Amino acid sequence: MSRISTSFEKLKKEGRTALIPYVTAGDPAPGVTVELLHGMVEAGADVIELGVPFSDPMADGPVIQLACERALLHNTRLLDVLAMVAEFREKDADTPIVLMGYLNPIEILGYQTFAEEAKKAGVDGVLTVDLPPEESGEFNQIMRAHDIDTIYLLAPTTEDERIKYICEHGSGYLYYVSVKGVTGSASLDVQAVADKLDLIREYTTVPLGVGFGIKDAESAKAVSAVADGVIVGSVLVNKIAELVKDQQQIAPQVSAIIKDMRVAMDS
Amino acid sequence: MPTNIDLKALSQLPDSKGHFGPYGGRFVSETLMAALKQLEETYETLWRDPAFQEEFDKDLAHYVGRPSPLYHAKHLTEHVGGAQIYLKREDLNHTGAHKINNTIGQALLAKFTGKPRVIAETGAGQHGVATATVAARLGLECQVYMGAEDVQRQALNVYRMKLLGAEVISVESGTRTLKDAMNEAMRDWVTNVDDTFYIIGTAAGPHPYPKLVRDFQCVIGREARQQCLEQAGRLPDALVACVGGGSNAIGLFHPFIEDADVKMYGVEAGGYGVETGQHAAPLSAGSPGVLHGNRTYLMSDEGGQIIGTHSVSAGLDYPGVGPEHSYLKDTGRAEYVDATDDEAMDAFRALTRIEGIMPAIESSHAVAYAMKLAKEMDKDQIIVVNLSGRGDKDIHTVAQIDGINI
Ligand SMILES: Cc1ncc(COP(=O)(O)O)c(C=O)c1O
């Protein structure tokens, strides 16, 4: 079983919801990331979504756009991100890592090379925002051959037939985008999310993570009551942005936010 | 051109998933998939609907002023000494460029789908103006995203859009040009997908945009084909059009795809010279990748990041290109070349002085290459150049190059 499935199984037995933080690799500097990942795990993160910087992050709001720009100032590339994962794996053999980003860097590296390198580094899943299942036949097959989960998005606009179609293709977990919009936009409506998750569960037993619009411990707790995973990104990245001039503080302060959420979710 | 390609099959692309060979497709985040599917269905139904066609044709005739003339540029031909140069006068369209053909079509789609708000991205501002124009006419709310750098170099068009009642949103992210405007328009659409129609300005983006923009622009090539037959008694030997995202070029080329003897040349922005890296010529110097919803030739670095482009013309200053051009390149049906900033400016001046026609700097790239090409051809051969727009919007840029402050 993949590390992602193992984690969700374990949480399920404990009656807990996965806490899944997102940060952009190399933001604000390459040296910060690995320590930050360890800190987040210690604070209670169960799975990590590690953003691969991209010059044109079309699905992201200003907070993550700026994170990409900061990371690209130091030229943090896909291969550098994989090196960070490998370094993280030296001390953490259990916490699943999912790469989140856009297709072009992977396309330019080549699917096969990417899969081999990602596996070697210890990546467990890949979420490519601009790669819906329709276009990902070959990609999905190559990832599968390397035991890497392909994680797909579901949205409020995804209708029944398509939910079924996406569920047939995804593995690891499915990522429900709780609001129409870019990352870091509006707050979510928990009841609407709960209704949609019920509908999605008619088609799949794969765990459901919910992201976009989770801003604090309170909303994390509310979502954890209905989802299998709570994904938080922009709040953390915002904190990183505030600490660009005081980088030693990044790991502890971001971890503190995670800890608050963890405590709220588990109470 | 390779002789083994099936031109009929080529002209019938894209397939049902929006693919032109390996290019095109629908590479967007999930939130937009339903809207694109709906757009595809609406478009396929309406495009076959005689009532829609009639309204579209009527608008093109009485609002845009079509057909646009095919003008035999005898003075330029004589000046160059070679093939006969004909200009397809899209510069004479209402609002001054080919862009209006497409916005008329998409605004009709917006009307039929009942969306009260339209958004657009724009580079040179021609598509923004064309969108603001149709929005004003149909009473739609309109917001136009434009890179901050372009807002400066196309100030005249910015003001035109405002006069037409559109809001121009200056985009400060990334390279502050057309690609960033498109990112921002996509972000807007994802957020307001329920009530907003995104009028994309070129034959790029996720399926069905490359197809529907092409279909709306094909009136250029259909007319040119007919006019050339009438005036010269035969088809042209070569077509030349500038390529930004590729809408004016595909509009001219497509109706000729099955005419195997008609050569096609797409002219990209060579900027300071393709060898300097400072250009906007993905087909000439890029490689396939994925951006803005489609797989196509792109300018990206070895890490897959999109590279900043340079062109004197805002409308060509884009690192990607419509997917159909990528496939026309790979199949050899069309050839893609470039003209530098300097060559385009020379052509701008030449056409202005010799024919009394002031072309857009975008279109000047096509004129520049056509002048080169004509020299190598016989006097009894014919080149049709798509004069995609007029140069009024560029007067500031030209004056600036001349060191004059207007
Ligand atoms: C006059 C004119 N020609 C050409 C272009 C380039 O676009 P496309 O390649 O889609 O025709 C523009 C874009 O702004 C334009 O204004």
Side-chain angles (χ1 to χ4, degrees):
Chain A
M1 207 188 312
S2 76
R3 261 192 291 253
I4 295 177
S5 304
T6 311
S7 294
F8 275 101
E9 292 272 308
K10 179 164 162 278
L11 286 163
K12 195 171 174 189
K13 277 195 200 115
E14 297 165 2
R16 299 195 309 147
T17 304
L19 178 54
I20 309 177
Y22 166 97
V23 291
T24 305
D27 170 30
V32 171
T33 304
V34 175
E35 186 197 335
L36 172 61
L37 301 187
H38 288 306
M40 294 196 300
V41 173
E42 218 166 286
D46 301 295
V47 176
I48 283 171
E49 283 187 0
L50 186 57
V52 180
F54 184 50
S55 53
D56 294 80
M58 273 183 313
D60 286 296
V63 171
I64 291 176
Q65 286 172 44
L66 289 172
C68 285
E69 285 184 16
R70 288 191 295 270
L72 288 173
L73 273 182
H74 300 276
N75 208 8
T76 303
R77 290 155 184 264
L78 180 53
L79 288 175
D80 302 315
V81 178
L82 294 179
M84 290 175 193
V85 176
E87 191 187 334
F88 172 80
R89 279 279 167 257
E90 288 169 11
K91 288 194 201 149
D92 187 328
D94 302 321
T95 310
I97 292 205
V98 172
L99 296 188
M100 183 166 183
Y102 295 80
L103 184 56
N104 201 51
I106 298 177
E107 182 112 347
I108 296 295
L109 185 60
Y111 294 170
Q112 189 67 33
T113 309
F114 169 69
E116 285 162 16
E117 295 298 320
K119 189 69 208 172
K120 228 189 298 172
V123 168
D124 303 286
V126 181
L127 196 176
T128 314
V129 179
D130 53 352
L131 185 64
E134 281 86 345
E135 299 286 358
S136 68
E138 185 196 351
F139 181 81
N140 196 312
Q141 205 178 351
I142 293 174
M143 293 307 128
R144 208 171 286 237
H146 289 82
D147 289 319
I148 296 173
D149 287 315
T150 308
I151 289 144
Y152 291 108
L153 300 173
L154 291 157
T157 53
T158 313
E159 281 155 14
D160 289 38
E161 205 177 305
R162 203 174 148 72
I163 292 176
K164 181 161 173 260
Y165 173 73
I166 295 172
C167 288
E168 282 163 6
H169 288 79
S171 62
Y173 60 96
L174 289 155
Y175 186 134
Y176 180 62
V177 174
S178 64
V179 292
K180 290 174 203 159
V182 291
T183 51
S185 47
S187 301
L188 54 75
D189 168 352
V190 179
Q191 189 51 50
V193 170
D195 293 345
K196 192 78 175 189
L197 296 188
D198 282 346
L199 181 66
I200 298 168
R201 285 202 176 93
E202 289 178 22
Y203 299 102
T204 187
T205 54
V206 173
L208 305 180
V210 172
F212 285 43
I214 295 161
K215 292 192 154 48
D216 47 24
E218 196 185 338
S219 47
K221 181 179 168 62
V223 172
S224 78
V226 297
D228 304 305
V230 174
I231 303 160
V232 283
S234 294
V235 215
L236 308 180
V237 175
N238 231 345
K239 180 54 76 180
I240 294 173
E242 284 170 21
L243 295 169
V244 165
K245 294 223 162 66
D246 193 6
Q247 296 183 8
Q248 272 92 320
Q249 281 300 308
I250 289 176
Q253 293 204 23
V254 170
S255 300
I257 302 176
I258 307 263
K259 191 152 201 168
D260 277 353
M261 291 184 166
R262 181 83 264 171
V263 169
M265 285 165 60
D266 291 351
S267 66
Chain B
M1 185 177 66
T3 48
N4 58 349
I5 49 169
D6 179 349
L7 294 178
K8 190 164 179 65
L10 188 62
S11 78
Q12 274 159 8
L13 294 174
D15 66 15
S16 63
K17 288 189 164 172
H19 293 142
F20 302 87
Y23 303 109
R26 193 175 274 164
F27 295 85
V28 294
S29 126
E30 178 57 27
T31 310
L32 292 177
M33 289 299 280
L36 288 165
K37 184 117 193 83
Q38 194 206 0
L39 174 61
E40 181 188 353
E41 283 163 9
T42 307
Y43 171 68
E44 292 299 340
T45 311
L46 290 175
W47 187 238
R48 290 193 182 82
D49 179 350
F52 180 88
Q53 282 291 347
E54 195 186 315
E55 194 166 345
F56 181 54
D57 290 345
K58 214 162 78 184
D59 281 352
L60 289 183
H62 302 296
Y63 190 69
V64 176
R66 303 205 71 92
S68 69
L70 181 70
Y71 168 67
H72 187 182
K74 288 189 184 143
H75 309 280
L76 184 68
T77 299
E78 205 167 297
H79 171 80
V80 171
Q84 303 301 310
I85 299 173
Y86 285 73
L87 304 174
K88 181 59 176 160
R89 299 289 310 273
E90 293 299 300
D91 60 316
L92 295 178
N93 291 342
H94 180 43
T95 70
H98 70 293
K99 297 286 181 188
I100 190 95
N101 303 326
N102 167 48
T103 55
I104 291 275
Q106 290 199 51
L108 278 181
L109 292 178
K111 192 177 100 175
F112 274 89
T113 49
K115 309 246 167 164
R117 175 174 181 264
V118 296
I119 55 170
E121 85 295 336
T122 196
Q126 285 305 112
H127 174 59
V129 167
T131 303
T133 298
V134 295
R137 179 172 171 243
L138 295 178
L140 303 168
E141 186 190 334
C142 177
Q143 276 168 330
V144 178
Y145 291 92
M146 190 167 185
E149 187 180 325
D150 296 336
V151 166
Q152 273 196 337
R153 58 179 164 173
Q154 302 287 344
L156 181 69
N157 273 344
V158 173
Y159 194 57
R160 284 171 83 195
M161 288 184 264
K162 286 182 183 160
L163 288 175
L164 287 159
E167 185 189 350
V168 178
I169 301 168
S170 175
V171 176
E172 298 285 348
S173 61
T175 57
R176 308 159 85 233
T177 56
L178 181 53
K179 88 171 165 68
D180 310 287
M182 194 147 182
N183 289 337
E184 216 47 47
M186 289 268 186
R187 289 178 187 125
D188 180 312
W189 198 32
V190 118
T191 309
N192 302 296
V193 62
D194 291 333
D195 72 347
T196 298
F197 191 102
Y198 179 15
I199 300 188
I200 292 187
T202 192
H207 179 59
Y209 282 103
K211 177 173 196 264
L212 68 85
V213 174
R214 176 199 70 195
D215 290 349
F216 292 143
Q217 290 292 1
C218 270
V219 63
I220 302 173
R222 277 198 309 273
E223 285 176 7
R225 198 172 180 284
Q226 185 65 30
Q227 290 165 323
C228 193
L229 286 171
E230 281 165 15
Q231 291 179 31
R234 63 185 195 83
L235 291 178
D237 299 281
L239 308 173
V240 179
C242 67
V243 178
S247 68
N248 87 86
I250 204 68
L252 177 65
F253 293 176
H254 195 265
F256 291 91
I257 282 183
E258 292 181 51
D259 300 313
D261 294 334
V262 180
K263 292 207 171 78
M264 303 172 173
Y265 298 93
V267 188
E268 297 189 296
Y272 295 132
V274 167
E275 70 288 350
T276 65
Q278 301 282 307
H279 57 83
L283 289 165
S284 307
S287 57
V290 171
L291 180 70
H292 291 153
N294 59 142
R295 180 178 284 123
T296 191
Y297 277 83
L298 288 180
M299 289 173 52
S300 60
D301 66 17
E302 68 271 25
Q305 308 297 336
I306 307 305
I307 320 179
T309 49
H310 164 78
S311 170
V312 65
S313 98
L316 303 183
D317 206 352
Y318 180 66
V321 63
E324 192 161 7
H325 288 293
S326 293
Y327 198 49
L328 291 177
K329 171 188 162 75
D330 282 9
T331 55
R333 180 63 189 93
E335 212 178 296
Y336 294 88
V337 295
D338 75 281
T340 62
D341 288 356
D342 288 347
E343 289 170 327
M345 294 317 300
D346 288 347
F348 172 91
R349 291 175 207 279
L351 194 66
T352 302
R353 296 297 289 268
I354 296 167
E355 291 286 356
I357 296 173
M358 213 174 273
I361 298 180
E362 289 78 14
S363 324
S364 301
H365 286 72
V367 175
Y369 186 75
M371 289 168 69
K372 250 199 254 183
L373 183 65
K375 262 191 212 135
E376 297 159 10
M377 290 167 63
D378 291 335
K379 285 198 162 58
D380 59 356
Q381 290 188 295
I382 296 173
I383 300 176
V384 170
V385 184
N386 199 359
L387 205 70
S388 55
R390 67 178 187 226
D392 308 39
K393 71 182 174 59
D394 295 314
I395 298 305
H396 272 96
T397 305
V398 179
Q400 212 167 34
I401 291 171
D402 287 344
I404 293 166
N405 219 338
I406 305 183

